[in-house]
Amino acid sequence: MNTKDHRGRPIVAVTGLGVVSSLGKGKEENWRKLTAGESGIHEIERFAVEGLKTTVAGTVDFMDIETMSAPELSLALAEFAADEAVAQADIDVGDFPGPLFLAAPPVEMEWQHRFELDSELPPGEIEGYKRLLQAARKERHQQMFELVQFNRTADLLAEKFGTKGLPISLSTACASGATAVQLGVEAIRRGETDTALCIGTDGSVTTEALIRFSLLSALTTQNENPTKAAKPFSKDRDGFVMAEGAGALVLESLESAQRRGAPVLATIRGCGEKADHFHRTRSSPDGSPVISAVNRALEDAAVSSDEIDYINAHGTSTPENDRMEYNSLKEVFGDAIHQIPISSNKSMIGHTLTAAGAIEAVFSVLTLQHGCIPPTINYDTPDPDIPLDVVPNTARQAKVNNILSNSFGFGGQNACLVLSNEFG
Amino acid sequence: MGETANPVWITGLGLLSSAGEGAEAHWAAMNSAKSSNIDSENFSPYMVHALGDVEWTNQISRRDMRQMEPWQQIGTYAAGLALDDAKAKTDEELCARMDMIVAAGGGERDAEVDGLIIAEARTANDRDAMLTERLSNDLRPTLFLAQLSNLLAGNISIVHKVTGSSRTFMGEEGAGISAIKTAHSRIASGQSDIVLVGGAFNGEREDMMLLFELGHYVSRGAFLPVGQRTGDDAGFNLGSIGAFLVLESESSARRRGVEPYGELAAVAADHGTRNDKAASSRLTAALEKVNDGNINAVLSGATGVEDITAEENSWLNDSLPHLSVRGFGNHTGHGIEAQFPLGIALAAIAAKKGAFYDPVYAEEAPLDGSPQSILVTTLGHYRSEGLGLVKPVSN
C-alpha cells in the first residue's frame, strides 16, 4: 500500500482516540449517547448562578480531582482522553515515541487563590496586587505558583506519557483543538517524528469565564430547559452553551502504523487554515477567510468538494456563526451544500471551546468507523435562511468516506480538517 | 548537523524594550553597563526594565489601541517594526500568505476591579454572590479580548494584515523557544516561505509579577548582573519586551531582494525535571544537534534564578570553554515568552555587523575578531531549555 500522499508526504493515520465530555467518559459511552441524540447540558451546580444571565453549561462534574480549579480539571480531562488514545494505539504509557501538542485554555490565577493570599496577611494599608505580592513574598507558594504556569498541564502530561522533546501548549481560541491536530500532522509530514500525541482539553467553566462570554453576548440565555439550550441552525438559536471535555488523538505515519501492526482508524488527509483580519470577534462579512480555510483543506487533502460525504460543523448555535458557516460553505460547495449532511456535535455536548476541535475530530473518526452520522438535536424550528440537511434530531446510517471538520475562533482563527477512511 | 534544503534567513527584526526600539538602540544598550530605563520605585522592592516613551501611533491606530492591553500593544508594535524592517509591511499579497507564530502569556487583569473585589470579599456575607455581582457589573466587556492569549496574534492580523496562518504558543520561556523552532522547521522543510514569529511581555504589571513571585522567582533589591544574584537577590527583573522576527527562506529573500541579518542555522529544545543536573545532560544533547563547530560567541538568556543560572554557567564552561558569553537579561530584563526571540534577534544584529557585543560585566570575556556562529541560550526559570544558532550570511 502507498504510504505517501499526492505530494509525496507521509500519509498521517489516526491510531488512537480518547474522549471525555459532559456525556461521559470514553468513546463507548460518548458515541452511544451522541448517536442516541442525548444532551449533556444541565443546570450549573459548580458555583452559585443567582444573578447570572446564563445558568446552564456542559460542565464535567464526574472527574476525580481534589479541589476544583480550571487547570486541575483541564489536566484530569486531558489525562483521561490521552490514556484511552494511547491504550488504543497500543503504545506504552510512559514512553510515547513523539511530541505532545496540547490545546489548553489560557491559565490565570483564580479567585479562591487571590482570597487565600489576601487572608494570609493581617489587615493593613496596602491593597490590591501590592498586598498579594506582599503575601507571596513572605513565603514561597509552590503549589499556587505551579497552577498559574501556562506550561504546567503540558509539562505533567509530557512526564506521564513520556512524550519526546519540548511539549507545545497552544491556543487558537475555539479552533485550538483542530490546530493541535494540524501541528501533529505537519510534524509527521516534515519527517521529524513518526507519531504525535494531540490533545485538546478545556475544564474552565468558572463564574468569571461565564460572565466574560456573557458580557460579549455570546451565550444562550434559554435556561428553562437546559438540554434544549444548544440549537445550532435553528431559527430561535441565541448563543452557545459553554462546556468542558477533552479529545485526544494519536497520529502516526501510515508507514509506522503498518510496521507496528497498529489499528489504522482513519487518516487526517488534509488541513487548511486562514486568519481573518476583519474584527476581534466577528468574521469577515464576505466569509472569505473561512472559504479559504475550507478550500485549502480540500486542496491539501486532494479531495474535491463532491467527495465530501459529511461535514462536522463548527455550529456553535450563535446567530452569527451558523449563518456565516452556511454562507461560506455555500460558496465552496455551491447548491450541492443542500444535499450534504452536516451536523453539530455542540447541540449535545455544548461548545467545549479549546477542546472542541479535538473532540469533534474524535467524533468524526468514529463517524467514519461506524458509518453513522450523529444528529443535530433540538432542531424543531429550522432557520429558513440556512436550508441545510442538519441530520435533524435522529442519527443516520450512511457510508461516509471523507469528512470536513470546521473550527473557528475569536481572533480570526479558522482551521479545517479533512478526515478520511480512504488511505492513499 | 545536516545542511537543510532551505536555509532560513532572518530578514526583519522588530525590537521594543527598555533599550528603546530597533536594532541600533539594542546594539548600543548591549554595549553599555548602564541600563536605560530601570524603574525601582513603582514596584519596590522589585525593579523592572520599563519601556520609555513609545510613539505607538507609528504602528497602531488609536482606534485599535483602545482594543488592546499593554502586552498586546507591545507585541503588535514590535511585529510592525519587523514587517517594516523586512520590507514586507506594504506588500499585501505577501502578508496575506505570511505564516505567524506568536508566543504569548496573557491574562492581564483590571487591577483596580480586582483590588476592590479582594477588599470587599473580606467582609462579604455571601462571597459568591458578591463576586458574581461585581464581575457582572464592573468588568469591561472587551477586557476579555485583551486577556486572551491568541488575541495578540489576532491584533497583529487586524493591524498588519498578516493572515496566512496564525498559531499562538503558550508556556513561558518554552513558548518562545517552540515558536522559533517551529518557524525554522516550517521554512527549512519547505512548508513555509516566510514566517512572522516572536513574543511580547509587559513587565510593568503587578498582576503578572505575582504569578512568578508566588514561587520566589523575582529578584528583590538593587541591580546585580544575573550571574551574581543569590538569596533574596536571586531571580529575574521583569522587562517589558516585544521581540519579533521575519524568518524567510533564502530563495524567497533573494526573490524579494531583501538583505538578511544572518541565518538561523538550527534550533533545539527540550524539557524535563531538573534534578541531578538533568538540564545539563539535555543541553549537551541539544548542543550536538546545533553545533556546527564554529561557535565562538554565546548570548545567554539567563534569568538570574540561582540554581539554573549557575548550572548554565558551569555547563557552558565545560562544553564551550573560553568563549565570550554575554547575558542579555542584564540589559533588558527578563521577557518570559519574548526572551528567546529577543536572543535570536540580538544574535542576528551581531551577525550582520560582523562584530560581537563588548564585555560589560566582570565575568564576561571579549571576543577577538568576528562572530562566526553565535549560540543563543534560554533556560526557562522553571522548565524548558532552548538553543539556537545564528551565523552571518556570506555574500
Side-chain angles (χ1 to χ4, degrees), chain A residues 308-329:
Chain A
I308 295 292
D309 306 303
Y310 162 63
I311 299 169
N312 187 306
H314 188 55
T316 56
S317 192
T318 63
E320 180 165 321
N321 173 80
D322 297 1
R323 187 175 53 240
M324 178 278 297
E325 191 167 7
Y326 165 68
N327 288 339
S328 304
L329 289 172

Side-chain angles (χ1 to χ4, degrees), chain A residues 195-332:
Chain A
T195 52
L197 179 56
C198 304
I199 308 174
T201 186
D202 204 315
S204 67
V205 177
T206 61
T207 308
E208 183 165 346
L210 190 103
I211 288 170
R212 286 167 166 173
F213 280 115
S214 232
L215 287 170
L216 293 171
S217 305
L219 301 182
T220 179
T221 55
Q222 298 180 16
N223 300 312
E224 318 74 49
N225 194 344
T227 61
K228 293 266 181 197
K231 46 186 74 172
F233 307 117
S234 288
K235 195 172 189 321
D236 53 347
R237 69 188 187 277
D238 70 336
F240 71 80
V241 174
M242 284 182 83
E244 297 175 327
L249 298 92
V250 174
L251 302 187
E252 184 163 0
S253 68
L254 183 60
E255 192 186 349
S256 162
Q258 288 174 346
R259 198 172 54 234
R260 291 198 306 121
V264 175
L265 311 173
T267 61
I268 310 286
R269 200 158 158 181
C271 311
E273 184 182 4
K274 177 71 181 166
D276 193 338
H277 60 66
F278 179 67
H279 188 269
R280 288 162 186 82
T281 58
R282 300 205 312 271
S283 300
S284 290
D286 67 359
S288 55
V290 169
I291 294 164
S292 259
V294 173
N295 277 327
R296 286 171 172 209
L298 296 175
E299 264 171 49
D300 190 53
V303 165
S304 65
S305 64
D306 59 8
E307 290 175 273
I308 295 292
D309 306 303
Y310 162 63
I311 299 169
N312 187 306
H314 188 55
T316 56
S317 192
T318 63
E320 180 165 321
N321 173 80
D322 297 1
R323 187 175 53 240
M324 178 278 297
E325 191 167 7
Y326 165 68
N327 288 339
S328 304
L329 289 172
K330 188 161 185 297
E331 284 294 317
V332 176

Side-chain angles (χ1 to χ4, degrees), chain A residues 65-278:
Chain A
I65 54 173
E66 275 180 30
T67 49
M68 173 54 209
S69 94
E72 288 296 16
L73 182 57
S74 299
L75 174 64
L77 293 167
E79 199 172 325
F80 180 90
D83 257 327
E84 192 184 21
V86 167
Q88 184 175 24
D90 196 20
I91 290 172
D92 290 341
V93 173
D95 192 20
F96 189 91
L100 169 65
F101 298 100
L102 176 73
V107 174
E108 281 180 75
M109 177 175 262
E110 296 179 273
W111 282 105
Q112 69 224 41
H113 298 126
R114 293 193 192 96
F115 295 149
E116 189 183 323
L117 276 178
D118 183 70
S119 72
E120 289 173 11
L121 293 179
E125 284 173 12
I126 305 174
E127 287 288 352
Y129 281 100
K130 280 204 193 305
R131 185 173 153 86
L132 301 191
L133 271 167
Q134 197 179 18
R137 203 153 56 232
K138 269 182 63 185
E139 59 172 343
R140 199 184 288 257
H141 295 67
Q142 186 62 25
Q143 206 183 355
M144 228 185 261
F145 162 76
E146 288 181 19
L147 273 178
V148 297
Q149 293 293 295
F150 276 73
N151 66 0
R152 174 177 178 269
T153 309
D155 201 39
L156 294 175
L157 290 169
E159 263 168 53
K160 170 170 175 177
F161 292 96
T163 55
K164 302 299 178 276
L166 181 56
I168 289 182
S169 301
L170 66 109
S171 174
T172 54
C174 297
S176 300
T179 304
V181 172
Q182 193 183 10
L183 285 164
V185 169
E186 289 172 349
I188 292 170
R189 284 176 172 175
R190 286 196 295 265
E192 285 171 9
T193 180
D194 277 335
T195 52
L197 179 56
C198 304
I199 308 174
T201 186
D202 204 315
S204 67
V205 177
T206 61
T207 308
E208 183 165 346
L210 190 103
I211 288 170
R212 286 167 166 173
F213 280 115
S214 232
L215 287 170
L216 293 171
S217 305
L219 301 182
T220 179
T221 55
Q222 298 180 16
N223 300 312
E224 318 74 49
N225 194 344
T227 61
K228 293 266 181 197
K231 46 186 74 172
F233 307 117
S234 288
K235 195 172 189 321
D236 53 347
R237 69 188 187 277
D238 70 336
F240 71 80
V241 174
M242 284 182 83
E244 297 175 327
L249 298 92
V250 174
L251 302 187
E252 184 163 0
S253 68
L254 183 60
E255 192 186 349
S256 162
Q258 288 174 346
R259 198 172 54 234
R260 291 198 306 121
V264 175
L265 311 173
T267 61
I268 310 286
R269 200 158 158 181
C271 311
E273 184 182 4
K274 177 71 181 166
D276 193 338
H277 60 66
F278 179 67

Side-chain angles (χ1 to χ4, degrees), chain B residues 100-104 152 175-176 179-180 196-200 242-245 337-338 341-342:
Chain B
M100 170 164 52
I101 308 177
V102 173
L152 168 49
I180 297 281
L196 175 68
V197 58
F244 274 80
L245 301 93
E337 289 87 4
L342 173 64

